[in-house]
Amino acid sequence: AAHCSWTVVGGGRSSSRCRSREEKRGRSSANIFCLVSSSSPLSSNPQRKMAGSALPMVLLLVGVFYAGSQVPAVTQPLQHSWASLVHSYDADALVVWGSFLIFVCTYWSVGLLYLVVDIWHAPRVVWDTRFQRPPKRDFCINGGPFNPSLGKTVLNALGNQLFVFLPGIWALHVGSRALGFGVVVSDELPSVSDIAWSAIKIMPAVSWGFYWSHRLLHVPSLYRFHKPHHNFRKSIALAAIYSHPVEALVSSVCSIIGPAFFLNTHLATIYVGMALGWAATTRGHSGYGFMGQDRSHDLHHSKNTGNFGNTGVLDWVFGTQITPTP
């Protein structure tokens, strides 16, 4: 049986002007969770986190692509539009700028939608699925005990995007080509089997790289590069890339984006992967259980340990999975 240790989080008085409504009403700010001991090899309910993995989304995506590929009315316009895009722009620009713009648009669109909920607590169908309650840790625009200010968050994200992600994607493109790999730029869209094979190759590489880079950043000698990300004790969607530049380069550019560039992936597959992957990453930081979002990464932020992976499989294998008390 797993051993549980009880930890009180958020107790005591806060000097911040930003406090939750429960605290203003005099309610206790203690938040008690039962965690799996660090010596325990497995969590008490590993299936709980695996249910939030990316596998169902990938299978659904492949199924949609396959169904669509059987309908000429769907495939022909897509093929024509894709060929026109490839013939209109330089291949290097499509790889670097195209991938970057899809990442940027996905991050900000998903992040800002959730920010509306964080600030205005609406719509209720989303707000009522927030994980960290009680006590409720409301997002504080000017900063508070559980999050940096909105201005600092936006500036950090923009800085990382312009000075880490964009040069990083360019370096991946140039480096992979120099080593005989690189992104496949063709005016023919990839087949369903090509997309499926690419996913089979890329997903394990991303999961392995992200798990170990993230876990290593929690080593005391390296934690200074990861600490800024954990200034979000109550995570929000825009926190997905709030980090030290070193972490952004190692854990995001190299571990998440990098593998596709060295596995001869079709550009269209990269575009789809960038959109889906960063939508899932941003949503995973949102702090809401809306539409079945798994709680694992929010729990990682509130506890600052465990749940290092992006699917739950490696946390299950290496005994670093933690779950909240039912």
Side-chain angles (χ1 to χ4, degrees):
H3 295 85
C4 291
S5 60
W6 295 88
T7 306
V8 178
V9 179
R13 297 180 61 185
S14 170
S15 60
S16 171
R17 291 177 296 175
C18 182
R19 300 181 181 179
S20 66
R21 294 174 184 173
E22 282 82 354
E23 290 174 322
K24 291 179 180 179
R25 294 171 184 171
R27 298 182 184 179
S28 170
S29 62
N31 190 9
I32 301 177
F33 289 95
C34 179
L35 298 182
V36 176
S37 169
S38 58
S39 62
S40 176
L42 297 174
S43 75
S44 59
N45 190 3
Q47 293 83 4
R48 192 172 186 173
K49 183 166 186 287
M50 289 189 188
S53 74
L55 183 58
M57 180 181 295
V58 172
L59 294 177
L60 176 61
L61 177 64
V62 172
V64 170
F65 271 127
Y66 178 77
S69 68
Q70 308 305 308
V71 183
V74 174
T75 57
Q76 289 177 359
L78 285 176
Q79 176 58 58
H80 176 76
S81 298
W82 178 258
S84 177
L85 178 69
V86 171
H87 292 154
S88 300
Y89 296 94
D90 177 73
D92 294 330
L94 287 173
V95 173
V96 177
W97 284 103
S99 301
F100 176 70
L101 290 175
I102 288 175
F103 154 62
V104 169
C105 291
T106 302
Y107 166 80
W108 286 109
S109 59
V110 176
L112 292 176
L113 284 174
Y114 275 106
L115 184 64
V116 170
V117 184
D118 292 325
I119 295 175
W120 284 284
H121 304 174
R124 298 291 301 187
V125 67
V126 181
W127 172 250
D128 288 341
T129 66
R130 63 196 184 280
F131 291 131
Q132 296 199 32
R133 56 171 182 163
K136 183 171 59 182
R137 301 177 175 185
D138 292 351
F139 173 72
C140 302
I141 295 179
N142 295 322
F146 301 112
N147 66 268
S149 69
L150 179 58
K152 187 175 181 180
T153 302
V154 170
L155 287 176
N156 179 275
L158 291 174
N160 278 333
Q161 287 175 336
L162 292 175
F163 301 112
V164 180
F165 281 87
L166 181 56
I169 293 172
W170 174 83
L172 287 172
H173 176 53
V174 174
S176 61
R177 285 292 175 89
L179 294 174
F181 302 100
V183 177
V184 176
V185 181
S186 169
D187 59 4
E188 290 288 333
L189 285 170
S191 65
V192 175
S193 59
D194 288 336
I195 295 173
W197 177 236
S198 293
I200 290 172
K201 293 187 295 181
I202 294 170
M203 287 184 63
V206 170
S207 295
W208 186 266
F210 180 75
Y211 175 85
W212 284 109
S213 65
H214 187 189
R215 187 169 178 179
L216 286 173
L217 285 172
H218 277 262
V219 173
S221 60
L222 298 176
Y223 185 69
R224 60 194 176 99
F225 298 118
H226 189 46
K227 185 176 180 180
H229 187 64
H230 276 279
N231 287 337
F232 277 96
R233 292 170 61 192
K234 192 282 181 189
S235 184
I236 65 170
L238 290 178
I241 62 171
Y242 182 91
S243 63
H244 190 284
V246 171
E247 178 183 1
L249 178 63
V250 174
S251 285
S252 294
V253 176
C254 294
S255 299
I256 297 177
I257 301 175
F261 282 76
F262 291 90
L263 293 171
N264 300 323
T265 310
H266 193 287
L267 180 59
T269 303
I270 287 184
Y271 282 1
V272 173
M274 290 286 279
L276 290 178
W278 283 103
T281 299
T282 308
R283 182 169 171 257
H285 281 81
S286 68
Y288 297 96
F290 182 61
M291 295 182 67
Q293 173 60 45
D294 181 64
R295 185 179 182 177
S296 58
H297 197 70
D298 184 83
L299 191 59
H300 172 79
H301 272 265
S302 66
K303 292 300 179 182
N304 199 14
T305 188
N307 294 349
F308 300 109
N310 62 340
T311 65
V313 175
L314 293 180
D315 282 297
W316 177 74
V317 170
F318 293 107
T320 54
Q321 187 180 65
I322 58 176
T323 57
T325 303

